[in-house]
């Protein structure tokens, strides 16, 4: 049995968050008791990864109404909507954030006839459900992905789409955990993922903890490693998949897709259906977060660039759909034509 790292835990109306800014050196768990604290944890990337941001936001939506005293449903819904607008400003790219907020609002609006106490109880249950469902979803993504892989293969992944970004199996890491459970031997190259170092600090940490064969490389080594024939498939997560299959994920993902095409290596996106956004037609409409210049100019509090240098720090890029071999979800594997097949996947119950 694999011992998964739990990035969040809900207990007695408190969201306990494993501070990912300090991993792997320091294991620090911080309690979040208010919606404002959850907002800050998402914004500061104390927790991160698209599905986890969604789960935390769902708990945040509950925390935002837990002390409400109004019995008026319209007033209750007004607070829910205001809280949703507030949390939605924490980070712009991962669609799971907006998906989870909307799911909580939709649930609340179906509770007009319920007492205030029942509304709170049912909304907490909805947040718990979102959390628990994620584990099942990730396992199914892993089963689907594993059907595309063979024993002895080597995968390359980028950023962290693992248990630290989700619940249990992760998305891109799910076939690796499942292979480990089955006694298969699948190795993995992990890109360090500048500037936040999700690959080095988080993915290399969580996978090596359970005995998976991990080799860490700097981001600019991926092309050479591929050219040496050392990579059989690239698998990354996603923050938002547009209706035409264009996919936003951690900055550097698109470069890997271009390289994979050059070297004839399959490039797979692993994502739950909650990451697919049919209302965004293509990648050019996906909002891309830009983060502080300090993430680029400083290294653990030490300056590594000249004072006053201009910096551009986009946190995500968009991989064009024609570079993606398949998008693997819990509901199945989607191949091109993405426009048609993603719509079909979402509409099929
Ligand atoms: O900025 P982050 O760390 O939140 O970005 C995370 C990623 O890009 C992940 O690949 C993505 O959210 C998928 S996590 C299953």
């Amino acid at each position: 049995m694999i011992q998964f790292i739990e990035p969040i835990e809900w207990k007695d109306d408190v969201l306990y968050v494993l501070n990912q800014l300090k991993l792997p050196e320091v294991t620090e768990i911080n309690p979040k008791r208010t919606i404002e604290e959850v907002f800050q944890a998402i914004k500061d990337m104390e927790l991160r990864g698209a599905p986890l941001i969604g789960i935390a936001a769902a708990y945040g939506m509950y925390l935002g109404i837990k002390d409400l005293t109004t019995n008026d449903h319209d007033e209750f819904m007004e607070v829910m909507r205001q809280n949703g607008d507030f949390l939605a400003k924490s980070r712009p790219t991962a669609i799971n954030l907006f998906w989870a907020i909307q799911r909580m609002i939709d649930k609340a609006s179906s509770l007009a006839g319920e007492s205030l106490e029942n509304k709170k109880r049912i909304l907490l249950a909805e947040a718990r459900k979102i959390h628990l469902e994620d584990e099942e979803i990730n396992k199914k993504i892993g089963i689907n992905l594993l059907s595309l892989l063979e024993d002895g293969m080597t995968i390359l992944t980028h950023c962290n789409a693992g248990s630290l970004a989700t619940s249990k199996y992760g998305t891109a890491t799910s076939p690796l955990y499942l292979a480990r459970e089955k006694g298969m031997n699948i190795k993995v190259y992990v890109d360090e993922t500048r500037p936040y170092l999700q690959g080095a600090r988080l993915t290399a940490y969580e996978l090596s903890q359970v005995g998976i064969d991990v080799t860490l490389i700097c981001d600019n080594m991926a092309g050479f490693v591929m050219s040496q024939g050392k990579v059989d498939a690239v698998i990354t997560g996603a923050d938002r998949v547009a209706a035409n299959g264009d996919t936003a994920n951690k900055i550097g993902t698109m470069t890997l897709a271009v390289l994979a095409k050059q070297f004839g290596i399959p490039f797979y996106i692993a994502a739950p259906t909650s990451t697919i956004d049919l209302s965004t037609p293509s990648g050019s409409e996906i909002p891309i977060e830009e983060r502080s210049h300090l993430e680029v100019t400083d290294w653990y509090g030490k300056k590594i660039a000249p004072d006053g240098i201009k910096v551009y720090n986009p946190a995500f890029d968009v991989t064009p759909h024609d570079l993606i071999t398949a998008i693997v979800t819990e509901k199945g594997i989607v191949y091109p034509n993405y426009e048609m097949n993603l719509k079909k996947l979402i509409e099929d119950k």
Side-chain angles (χ1 to χ4, degrees):
M1 276 289 280
I2 287 181
Q3 274 297 320
F4 292 99
I5 302 173
E6 302 274 358
I8 55 172
E9 196 191 348
W10 179 262
K11 212 168 144 219
D12 301 331
D13 272 0
V14 179
L15 183 66
Y16 291 92
V17 174
L18 172 61
N19 185 356
Q20 298 195 29
L21 293 158
K22 297 201 170 166
L23 287 175
E25 295 91 2
V26 178
T27 301
E28 176 186 278
I29 294 169
N30 296 322
K32 310 293 166 193
R33 296 187 169 84
T34 64
I35 184 172
E36 289 79 11
E37 287 177 352
V38 173
F39 172 92
Q40 211 55 46
I42 296 172
K43 190 173 167 55
D44 296 345
M45 292 176 66
E46 196 176 328
L47 66 90
R48 28 67 52 206
L52 189 67
I53 292 171
I55 297 166
Y59 285 122
M61 289 295 282
Y62 165 73
L63 287 172
I65 51 92
K66 123 179 144 42
D67 297 323
L68 222 56
T69 52
T70 182
N71 284 309
D72 183 288
H73 188 65
D74 290 341
E75 272 179 36
F76 187 89
M77 285 309 300
E78 187 49 31
V79 176
M80 283 293 291
R81 277 190 286 271
Q82 281 173 9
N83 288 344
D85 289 347
F86 170 64
L87 275 182
K89 292 196 179 78
S90 55
R91 290 191 77 188
T93 305
I95 190 68
N96 308 61
L97 170 68
F98 311 100
W99 170 87
I101 291 169
Q102 195 54 51
R103 182 159 152 182
M104 294 296 282
I105 291 175
D106 290 347
K107 189 68 186 181
S109 67
S110 73
L111 303 176
E114 298 287 348
S115 68
L116 180 61
E117 284 323 299
N118 271 351
K119 282 180 194 164
K120 292 179 183 177
R121 188 179 50 75
I122 295 169
L123 285 173
L124 174 58
E126 189 69 6
R128 302 284 300 146
K129 200 166 160 213
I130 290 174
H131 193 171
L132 291 176
E133 276 173 9
D134 191 58
E135 179 182 336
E136 205 46 44
I137 286 170
N138 293 327
K139 195 163 181 184
K140 286 184 181 153
I141 291 173
I143 291 168
N144 290 335
L145 262 166
L146 204 52
S147 73
L148 300 170
L149 307 177
E150 280 166 29
D151 203 1
M153 277 189 166
T154 301
I155 302 308
L156 172 70
T157 192
H158 189 67
C159 191
N160 174 262
S163 50
L164 283 162
T166 63
S167 169
K168 303 259 164 86
Y169 290 83
T171 58
T173 56
S174 187
L176 300 166
Y177 283 120
L178 288 172
R180 178 84 188 143
E181 281 178 349
K182 286 175 189 285
M184 288 166 70
N185 172 31
I186 296 190
K187 298 189 175 72
V188 58
Y189 279 101
V190 173
D191 271 359
E192 67 173 349
T193 320
R194 270 279 282 159
Y196 183 96
L197 303 175
Q198 286 94 331
R201 296 192 303 105
L202 308 178
T203 307
Y205 169 61
E206 66 163 81
L207 295 180
S208 60
Q209 285 264 322
V210 301
I212 292 170
D213 185 326
V214 181
T215 303
L216 178 65
I217 55 171
C218 299
D219 299 327
N220 51 3
M221 298 170 186
F224 185 59
V225 172
M226 287 188 204
S227 78
Q228 291 179 310
K230 292 183 172 172
V231 176
D232 298 301
V234 179
I235 308 177
T236 77
D239 287 83
R240 193 185 299 215
V241 179
N244 70 346
D246 291 352
T247 295
N249 192 52
K250 181 52 52 191
I251 190 78
T253 303
M254 179 188 53
T255 317
L256 291 180
V258 173
L259 288 168
K261 185 170 185 195
Q262 168 70 16
F263 294 109
I265 298 166
F267 181 89
Y268 300 120
I269 293 290
T273 47
S274 55
T275 305
I276 299 168
D277 178 16
L278 295 184
S279 70
T280 299
S282 73
S284 52
E285 290 88 24
I286 299 177
I288 298 295
E289 177 181 17
E290 283 182 41
R291 296 189 64 86
S292 164
H293 67 280
L294 293 174
E295 289 182 356
V296 179
T297 56
D298 290 34
W299 184 264
Y300 287 88
K302 187 178 177 337
K303 205 167 266 308
I304 53 164
D307 275 340
I309 196 78
K310 276 199 292 180
V311 169
Y312 179 45
N313 184 18
F316 300 93
D317 59 25
V318 176
T319 300
H321 60 269
D322 56 347
L323 295 179
I324 300 171
T325 311
I327 298 172
V328 183
T329 76
E330 77 279 15
K331 283 171 79 178
I333 304 171
V334 185
Y335 292 99
N337 172 324
Y338 291 120
E339 188 100 56
M340 192 172 77
N341 293 341
L342 286 172
K343 191 163 181 281
K344 194 163 172 296
L345 181 90
I346 298 296
E347 285 170 1
D348 279 358
K349 285 284 166 233

